[in-house]
Amino acid sequence: MPHEELFDPDPLETAEWLASAESVTRLSGARRMEFLLDQLHRWSLRRGVRFPYAANTPYVNTIPAAEQPPYPGDRRIERRIKSFVRWNAMAMVVRANRAAEGIGGHISTFASAATLYEVGFNHFFRAKTPTSSGDQLFIQGHAAPGIYARAFLEGRLDEHHLMNFRRELSSGGGLPSYPHPWLMPDFWEFPTVSMGLGAINSIYQARFNVYLEDRGLLSPGDSKVWAFLGDGEMDEPESLGAITLAGRERLDNLIWVINCNLQRLDGPVRGNGNIIQELEAALRGAGWNVIKVIWGSDLDPLFAADSEGLLIEHMGQIVDGQWQRFTVESGAYVREHFFGRDPRLLRLVDHLTDDQIRNFRLGGHDPVKVYAAYAAAVARRGQPTAILARTIKGYGLGEAGEGKNITHQQKKLSEEELRRFRDRFEIPVSDRQIREAPFCRFEKGSEEYEYLMERRRALGGFLPKRVVRAQPLEPPENAVFEEFFKGSGSRTEATTMVFMRILSRLLSHPQLGRLIVPIVPDEARTFGMDALFRTYGIYARFGQLYEPVDAHLLMRYEERKNGQILEEGITEAGAMASFTAAGTAYATHGVNTIPFFIFYSMFGFQRVGDLIWSAADQRTRGFLIGATAGRTTLAGEGLQHQDGHSQLVASTVPNCISYDPAFGYELAVIIQDGIRRMYRQGQSCFYYLTVYNQLYAQPPMPDGVSEGIIRGMYKYRPAPDPADCPRVHLFGSGPLLLEALRAQELLREQFSVAADVWSVTSYNELYRDAMAVQRWNRLHPDQPPRKPYITQLLEPEPWPVVATSDWVNALAHRLCPWTPNRLVALGTEGFGRSDTREALRRHFGIDAAHLAYTALYELARLGQFPVERLPTALQQLGLVPEAPNPATA
């Protein structure tokens, strides 16, 4: 926005000031003038003089040509290498879509960003070494073909891989569409294609890197986190949602390279605005150093000749939709519609032909400009840096889609378009070969190959490359959990409280304690974590710069530079990004940190499910703790807070192992086994545990139940003296196991029915086991059939099963096919309500009375209980048949 025009009462004095500024700039340089203006700004603030605020700088390069460092590489060889990378990236997508119609892929993103990547790979991106973590690269997902193409030139991938791009199941294997560590665990480090996640994950990765250093778990170094992002991607809430953290923490180890090709998937990012200026204002306001790389070297002479500043002024008035139009039009059109608006601008280009104007390079395609920006970003101290690089989407595709709205979806090129691409980038492919779009490689010993390899050797090796360097850990010994195996006696505890005591024991462990990373999004007091504040400290990069209001209290809020707890504020997304960084440090840094992310269960999988899926792809290890779980156990909170479905959602993440424990000893067994599996055996999985806030006595652990706890269920209390009574099985999980125990008593005392009560610690693990057995049996018809674990347990006692839980019916109901008799699931269908636990459980039909009645109904169906007694049973148990259906009420 233009500044408010002020009346000038003394034009002569104004002219003298401007002449002085001009003299300083001419004699001492722009940086000197910037310093003087900064001092003048500070002076005005002290004197109460209003200083005009500008969030933006002019629409030109931040680094003037006179301040650019010399380019250190051989630009001729680098251009040759880059051209081969461009060609192979394009050919990979074109050939894939010829081989399999509609297989997809993206040409235009990498085409626009090739220079941004190549300058980095040749001069900046450092690989891991035995003594360094190197740099972490968050590569824009749609640019994956270019990264594969470079790896092909390096000899890391062969032609077979490129031919099978997006066809991973082909004979001999292929390449996944995007960066996926799960699919290429020795290659990709960070999944980024779910747009916006690369941005927030890179911020918290950079913060976690300094956390490790501040806590002495990682030697201080100069590793950088580079995140390559798209300008359209910045509309995702996760992209800009955490930028103030980076500015506040002064994360000078973080560099964003935002590819500003002005186009998103369907059209302009800001057709009627200017995305580069918009992003600059947002990032500068958040404390970032912003470097704009807009114009290439071709325009430097024009800026030098523009003594009146008309060119800069006019550039600041053009919207992105028009810039995009200039990209696809002829030089004559640009001359008329851009320079032709002012005769003085026209004179600036009188000496240039239309073709020269048409071929003006943008900054993001000029290695000299990009190198200058990268060098400045790496040298910056005290601020994260964002490089806003102007490019053309589909650069090099010509009429096939360069700069056009359809270019993101471009998958195919005609023979003539291939020929033009070849000629533009001087690719050694004959007219006879052109239709096949063959892959091109440099011979070993050629100057290009040797240059390519030497550059990577100088920077420590190849990237991207995922290396697991952490050594296995011994799981905590039984003595750590002994108190939880013994139970709480007459003292009542919620499983959330038990978990906090387990966490405290782990934090004090002599070997594992320093590796534990507690993470919480501003609910620590809700979960009882405040007891840890003083002992372990809340991480704050600059320590505690104030005296807290509760300084006199034992459980005061205590921040430390080496604090262990990550208290992230009200951001589940940010906390999840920290969890991912901590849970992958075994590969990123060779440090086996063990994260425990404790959150309101309703705000886990539901709110940040995409980040959880990304963490799974990244092979994250650690524990997600869904605290205050349950649709009825969390009394009073109501519809928005009560969780009855996260366990079901957790089942959709293939490497998420989820449990719903009822007792403290179950929690202890699960956590001990989880540390063994993830950190001793090196399994690429993570755990989701739901814990609750209902108080009850925690019993001691019965003998011989450890296997059942881990596998998903065990018989907790058999029916006492069943004699010849009708028999049923009652399943319970979490606090609803107590309802099953009460139902056992109701059935025995009022209806002479004998019920065995089972603690189901994981419906999901039982289901996965059953599905795996079913698949094995189907594919091995000549072998004796196997039996799922649940079938093995119930087959000797083939009685009806009634299950109750604080979760939706589908969680338990999926086990029906593998129970010898029918399984009926009682769950919390529908929206939550604000009320007491008793009222809520009666409303949803999951309490002891409903459980007992459903057991009678199932026995009546089998002829083991008189049907005519059911109406009386309803009355005895206080149930109302016409009560509203909670699923629709």
Side-chain angles (χ1 to χ4, degrees):
M1 296 292 292
H3 301 310
E4 177 186 354
E5 290 293 332
L6 300 177
F7 173 70
D8 187 354
D10 193 342
L12 179 60
E13 183 183 40
T14 302
E16 290 173 349
W17 273 86
L18 293 176
S20 177
E22 179 68 31
S23 175
V24 169
T25 305
R26 185 175 64 256
L27 297 176
S28 302
R31 289 288 179 254
R32 173 62 178 164
M33 193 64 227
E34 287 178 13
F35 173 79
L36 292 176
L37 288 173
D38 179 69
Q39 293 300 305
L40 189 60
H41 186 196
R42 293 169 186 265
W43 178 91
S44 70
L45 292 175
R46 291 194 298 271
R47 299 300 190 279
V49 177
R50 189 174 65 168
F51 196 93
Y53 171 74
N56 285 117
T57 60
Y59 195 66
V60 294
N61 295 342
T62 303
I63 302 173
E67 297 183 16
Q68 292 170 184
Y71 194 81
D74 188 319
R75 290 184 59 194
R76 178 185 62 84
I77 296 178
E78 289 186 16
R79 183 183 187 278
R80 184 88 169 135
I81 293 169
K82 180 169 60 178
S83 295
F84 271 47
V85 175
R86 285 184 183 279
W87 172 268
N88 289 332
M90 175 275 300
M92 191 187 322
V93 177
V94 169
R95 291 178 64 160
N97 283 273
R98 285 179 181 172
E101 180 72 27
I103 200 70
H106 300 273
I107 299 173
S108 58
T109 294
F110 180 75
S112 68
T115 299
L116 302 176
Y117 285 107
E118 282 300 302
V119 171
F121 279 120
N122 285 324
H123 301 288
F124 291 95
F125 303 157
R126 294 165 297 178
K128 289 179 175 61
T129 68
T131 58
S132 168
S133 298
D135 293 341
Q136 289 92 59
L137 302 187
F138 288 75
I139 291 166
Q140 199 175 359
H142 293 124
I147 308 306
Y148 292 140
R150 177 171 244 272
F152 172 67
L153 294 185
E154 295 167 337
R156 302 170 64 200
L157 299 175
D158 58 32
E159 187 166 325
H160 181 85
H161 291 110
L162 269 61
M163 288 175 63
N164 288 329
F165 172 62
R166 289 196 167 215
R167 290 186 295 153
E168 297 174 76
L169 303 180
S170 298
S171 176
L175 297 174
S177 53
Y178 303 121
H180 293 303
W182 185 261
L183 303 174
M184 294 182 72
D186 299 324
F187 191 90
W188 295 115
E189 282 196 279
F190 306 103
T192 53
V193 80
S194 190
M195 289 187 283
L197 302 194
I200 191 171
N201 279 329
S202 70
I203 291 173
Y204 282 87
Q205 180 67 58
R207 202 278 298 269
F208 191 73
N209 292 356
V210 297
Y211 167 89
L212 289 176
E213 292 181 3
D214 288 342
R215 291 201 50 234
L217 295 173
L218 189 68
S219 299
D222 196 29
S223 294
K224 302 294 183 186
V225 176
W226 296 78
F228 286 82
L229 310 165
D231 50 355
E233 178 180 9
M234 304 312 289
D235 283 343
E236 289 283 5
E238 295 89 349
S239 293
L240 296 178
I243 58 174
T244 55
L245 170 73
R248 184 171 67 247
E249 299 282 287
R250 303 176 194 171
L251 297 178
D252 51 19
N253 61 340
L254 175 65
I255 300 169
W256 276 9
V257 181
I258 304 179
N259 180 13
C260 297
N261 54 41
L262 313 188
Q263 291 180 248
R264 51 190 178 204
L265 276 59
D266 291 332
V269 178
R270 295 288 184 273
N272 292 317
N274 189 304
I275 188 61
I276 288 179
Q277 298 299 85
E278 181 179 320
L279 292 175
E280 179 191 33
L283 289 159
R284 288 184 70 202
W288 288 56
N289 171 43
V290 177
I291 300 174
K292 293 192 287 195
V293 184
I294 301 176
W295 308 113
S297 301
D298 303 336
L299 274 84
D300 286 341
L302 299 187
F303 287 121
D306 180 28
S307 59
E308 299 178 78
L310 291 172
L311 183 58
I312 294 175
E313 181 180 352
H314 189 50
M315 285 175 168
Q317 297 169 356
I318 306 298
V319 296
D320 284 352
Q322 191 61 38
W323 283 126
Q324 186 185 352
R325 180 64 182 265
F326 290 145
T327 295
V328 302
E329 287 289 355
S330 66
Y333 180 93
V334 177
R335 186 189 300 273
E336 177 185 353
H337 292 86
F338 180 79
F339 294 101
R341 295 190 176 188
D342 191 306
R344 293 169 294 178
L345 289 178
L346 265 178
R347 286 195 291 272
L348 286 177
V349 293
D350 275 346
H351 63 293
L352 299 176
T353 68
D354 288 347
D355 283 345
Q356 286 175 310
I357 293 175
R358 172 71 180 84
N359 293 324
F360 278 154
R361 266 190 307 178
L362 295 177
H365 300 303
D366 187 335
V368 172
K369 301 297 184 184
V370 173
Y371 179 87
Y374 285 7
V378 168
R380 188 73 174 192
R381 294 293 176 264
Q383 280 182 296
T385 293
I387 297 168
L388 306 178
R390 173 87 189 275
T391 65
I392 298 172
K393 195 160 191 176
Y395 183 75
L397 297 182
E399 291 300 316
E402 185 173 271
K404 297 180 180 178
N405 285 337
I406 52 88
T407 191
H408 186 80
Q409 305 301 332
Q410 189 70 36
K411 320 272 185 229
K412 300 177 182 180
L413 297 181
S414 69
E415 191 169 327
E416 180 58 30
E417 289 163 345
L418 288 170
R419 188 175 292 109
R420 291 198 192 102
F421 193 104
R422 174 202 64 184
D423 294 344
R424 179 168 182 174
F425 296 108
E426 301 174 358
I427 306 298
V429 174
S430 68
D431 286 343
R432 182 176 55 82
Q433 298 171 303
I434 195 72
R435 188 181 182 283
E436 301 304 318
F439 300 121
C440 295
R441 214 171 200 167
F442 300 114
E443 293 291 333
K444 290 185 178 180
S446 67
E447 64 175 353
E448 295 91 350
Y449 178 82
E450 294 304 323
Y451 186 94
L452 181 77
M453 303 304 282
E454 184 278 328
R455 287 284 74 223
R456 288 317 309 161
R457 283 193 296 270
L459 292 166
F462 296 124
L463 282 176
K465 186 176 182 181
R466 184 176 180 274
V467 182
V468 177
R469 296 179 295 160
Q471 297 301 308
L473 294 175
E474 288 298 328
E477 57 276 12
N478 283 342
V480 173
F481 302 104
E482 194 64 36
E483 64 177 285
F484 309 105
F485 296 154
K486 291 179 179 178
S488 64
S490 59
R491 187 179 71 253
T492 60
E493 287 185 306
T495 50
T496 297
M497 298 163 60
V498 175
F499 166 73
M500 286 304 162
R501 290 202 294 117
I502 291 175
L503 180 62
S504 181
R505 291 300 304 271
L506 290 173
L507 283 165
S508 65
H509 191 277
Q511 284 78 45
L512 297 181
R514 63 198 301 264
L515 299 174
I516 303 297
V517 182
I519 305 168
V520 62
D522 207 43
E523 287 281 3
R525 296 186 191 278
T526 302
F527 309 139
M529 286 182 70
D530 46 339
L532 305 176
F533 287 171
R534 186 177 182 187
T535 306
Y536 298 101
I538 296 164
Y539 175 70
R541 193 178 180 197
F542 307 107
Q544 194 158 38
L545 307 178
Y546 61 94
E547 183 180 2
V549 296
D550 55 1
H552 61 290
L553 299 178
L554 179 64
M555 292 189 291
R556 60 177 173 258
Y557 195 85
E558 187 162 320
E559 297 181 87
R560 300 178 197 158
K561 182 176 175 59
N562 66 344
Q564 194 160 352
I565 301 166
L566 289 175
E567 212 288 7
E568 300 293 16
I570 304 176
T571 168
E572 286 83 4
M576 190 64 215
S578 280
F579 176 79
T580 301
T584 54
Y586 69 93
T588 308
H589 298 293
V591 180
N592 265 321
T593 47
I594 307 172
F596 285 84
F597 172 21
I598 304 99
F599 53 91
Y600 245 111
S601 67
M602 185 66 163
F603 305 139
F605 279 84
Q606 175 166 301
R607 178 166 289 188
V608 292
D610 200 13
L611 280 160
I612 291 173
W613 186 263
S614 174
D617 187 353
Q618 200 169 324
R619 296 173 172 263
T620 302
R621 299 172 184 167
F623 296 88
L624 298 176
I625 309 297
T628 56
R631 189 153 285 161
T632 67
T633 308
L634 183 60
E637 288 290 348
L639 184 151
Q640 190 65 33
H641 285 64
Q642 292 169 338
D643 172 24
H645 50 275
S646 67
Q647 279 285 346
L648 187 62
V649 179
S651 72
T652 65
V653 182
N655 56 341
C656 176
I657 301 171
S658 58
Y659 288 93
D660 185 39
F663 299 130
Y665 66 79
E666 295 176 350
L667 259 176
V669 168
I670 292 164
I671 290 173
Q672 183 183 37
D673 188 64
I675 294 175
R676 177 187 63 82
R677 290 179 64 176
M678 292 184 287
Y679 295 94
R680 176 63 184 170
Q681 297 179 351
Q683 295 184 28
S684 294
C685 60
F686 64 100
Y687 279 62
Y688 176 55
L689 313 180
T690 41
V691 294
Y692 300 81
N693 64 343
Q694 181 175 340
L695 297 170
Y696 48 88
Q698 299 293 327
M701 184 167 73
D703 293 333
V705 299
S706 292
E707 180 187 9
I709 292 171
I710 298 304
R711 298 194 67 177
M713 64 181 283
Y714 64 95
K715 187 179 290 187
Y716 176 71
R717 182 188 292 173
D721 301 321
D724 295 327
C725 297
R727 305 291 299 274
V728 294
H729 295 295
L730 302 180
F731 286 5
S733 67
L736 273 295
L737 180 59
L738 304 180
E739 298 295 330
L741 292 171
R742 282 193 279 273
Q744 182 188 48
E745 296 171 2
L746 286 174
L747 288 168
R748 177 71 181 181
E749 295 170 2
Q750 298 187 32
F751 304 101
S752 299
V753 170
D756 291 336
V757 175
W758 298 75
S759 177
V760 181
T761 54
S762 180
Y763 284 107
N764 287 332
E765 286 302 289
L766 292 172
Y767 178 75
R768 287 175 175 173
D769 169 74
M771 290 295 290
V773 169
Q774 179 175 281
R775 181 180 185 276
W776 192 93
N777 290 341
R778 184 172 66 249
L779 297 176
H780 298 82
D782 56 335
Q783 299 292 320
R786 297 175 179 177
K787 294 179 181 179
Y789 183 66
I790 186 172
T791 305
Q792 294 176 42
L793 295 179
L794 297 181
E795 200 171 48
E797 302 170 334
W799 308 316
V801 177
V802 184
T804 187
S805 76
D806 223 350
W807 307 99
V808 292
N809 295 350
L811 185 69
H813 190 71
R814 295 174 301 163
L815 296 175
C816 278
W818 301 285
T819 55
N821 212 317
R822 192 164 74 163
L823 181 151
V824 176
L826 305 181
T828 51
E829 303 299 309
F831 287 122
R833 294 287 196 281
S834 298
D835 214 312
T836 64
R837 292 190 186 108
E838 294 75 18
L840 290 169
R841 288 170 181 170
R842 179 56 56 95
H843 168 73
F844 283 106
I846 61 170
D847 61 359
H850 277 95
L851 188 59
Y853 175 76
T854 305
L856 297 177
Y857 182 86
E858 288 302 296
L859 289 172
R861 181 181 62 83
L862 297 173
Q864 298 176 22
F865 185 83
V867 173
E868 58 274 13
R869 285 190 60 190
L870 291 177
T872 305
L874 277 168
Q875 293 180 346
Q876 268 183 268
L877 295 168
L879 303 183
V880 180
E882 303 308 319
N885 181 354
T888 55

